[in-house]
Amino acid sequence: MSRQSTSLSEYPVWDRTTRWFHWINFLCVIVLLFLGTVILNAGDLGASNDGKILLKSTHVVVGYVFTINLLWRLVWGFIGGPYSRWKAVLPVGRGFIAALSSQLRDIRSGNSEPHAGHSPLGRIAVTVIFFFLLVQGATGLVLAGTDVYMPPFGNHFAEWVAGPDMDPQAVRPYAPETVNEQSYDEMRAFRKPFISTHATNYYFLLALILFHIIAVISAEMREGGSIISAMFTGKKTLAKKPE
Ligand code: HEM
């Protein structure tokens, strides 16, 4: 902690790994949302089969970066800095309910106290976002296999749709002549809950991202806690000692 003026102090909060995670995740999600929107409307946009394969493969490659980054963040929650640890992120633990009630009282009275790491409401929001990101990553990895036969499950699905009479090595996306029709239909039935979850989750994520941005801006205005710049510099500059 270093003195900047008589009233402002800097508090180191977000370690370097957490900041890199945040901005890599941000970029990946923007690109995935964009490509996902195009995939969703590929038919109306008149995309050819080759165009759809290219769109999906690009979406999957960005999806790998997104998933690896997310998994690394999960691990970092056990070994990272104090504000990045799961016990400082998840809305559980001793004193959480009391801290949440106190924050809600503060908001109602218009006298918000700054928080060094996540506020109790922030912990709830971040946990919900993590959950939806994980579901999107997990269903996306299955779809990478069922739709474009890419890792980690692509070989398994290629073997499935090849059935007893086709060569799994020759299976190609959008090439019905390379698959056994009955096996392919069975695989598509298996895929159904994954694609509907992935597509529904996309709308939840859009809403959550909007909510996240509004919440951060409103907390920045209420608490004056340099919340946004802290995700770049790692430090919050506060006039009051944080809770
Ligand atoms: C924030 C993360 C993500 C978002 C917002 C997102 C969004 C979407 C959307 C909207 C679609 C179109 C769904 C449809 O056609 O009904 C889609 C399709 C797809 N996604 Fe994602 N996705 C994400 C992450 C991933 C990841 C991590 C992977 C894999 C590594 C992945 C793989 C796929 C595949 C293979 C498809 C094509 C499925 C189809 O045939 O439509 N996605 N995604």
Side-chain angles (χ1 to χ4, degrees):
M1 190 197 320
S2 70
R3 278 271 151 207
Q4 280 212 324
S5 72
T6 47
S7 55
L8 291 179
S9 297
E10 277 187 349
Y11 296 84
V13 182
W14 306 123
D15 54 56
R16 191 183 304 227
T17 302
T18 302
R19 283 179 277 147
W20 272 101
F21 159 75
H22 181 270
W23 293 116
I24 293 173
N25 187 59
F26 171 85
L27 285 178
C28 288
V29 169
I30 297 289
V31 175
L32 289 166
L33 282 172
F34 172 74
L35 289 172
T37 308
V38 180
I39 295 172
L40 211 47
N41 297 289
D44 294 339
L45 293 170
S48 64
N49 284 347
D50 282 348
K52 287 181 192 162
I53 295 169
L54 181 66
L55 274 170
K56 290 183 185 184
S57 314
T58 313
H59 184 79
V60 168
V61 172
V62 180
Y64 290 150
V65 179
F66 162 84
T67 310
I68 291 168
N69 189 47
L70 190 58
L71 292 178
W72 172 227
R73 177 65 185 90
L74 294 188
V75 174
W76 194 247
F78 295 101
I79 58 176
Y83 297 106
S84 304
R85 298 242 176 167
W86 292 120
K87 65 175 184 228
V89 173
L90 299 177
V92 288
R94 221 152 42 95
F96 176 75
I97 297 295
L100 178 63
S101 318
S102 153
Q103 186 185 12
L104 292 174
R105 261 196 316 275
D106 285 349
I107 292 175
R108 273 197 297 271
S109 67
N111 179 33
S112 289
E113 293 297 323
H115 295 83
H118 290 301
S119 72
L121 279 176
R123 283 162 75 158
I124 296 174
V126 166
T127 303
V128 172
I129 293 174
F130 268 127
F131 173 77
F132 280 94
L133 291 177
L134 276 171
V135 171
Q136 201 68 347
T139 50
L141 289 177
V142 174
L143 293 172
T146 60
D147 282 64
V148 276
Y149 308 110
M150 284 172 72
F153 308 115
N155 284 342
H156 168 75
F157 287 114
E159 271 170 31
W160 184 348
V161 298
D165 52 346
M166 295 290 185
D167 174 9
Q169 301 292 330
V171 168
R172 298 279 170 270
Y174 291 93
E177 68 284 4
T178 65
V179 300
N180 172 289
E181 201 180 324
Q182 195 193 334
S183 307
Y184 185 76
D185 289 345
E186 285 167 10
M187 185 278 276
R188 296 294 279 191
F190 168 85
R191 167 191 182 270
K192 225 172 182 165
F194 292 95
I195 184 67
S196 36
T197 307
H198 200 75
T200 312
N201 213 30
Y202 155 83
Y203 294 105
F204 279 115
L205 277 171
L206 277 178
L208 281 171
I209 289 163
L210 198 66
F211 171 77
H212 177 64
I213 293 170
I214 294 171
V216 167
I217 293 174
S218 120
E220 176 90 37
M221 284 167 28
R222 269 197 333 267
E223 299 182 11
S226 58
I227 288 173
I228 297 167
S229 62
M231 216 16 112
F232 290 99
T233 64
K235 293 171 192 151
K236 285 191 184 176
T237 310
L238 305 173
K240 284 194 223 167
K241 198 170 183 307
E243 300 227 321

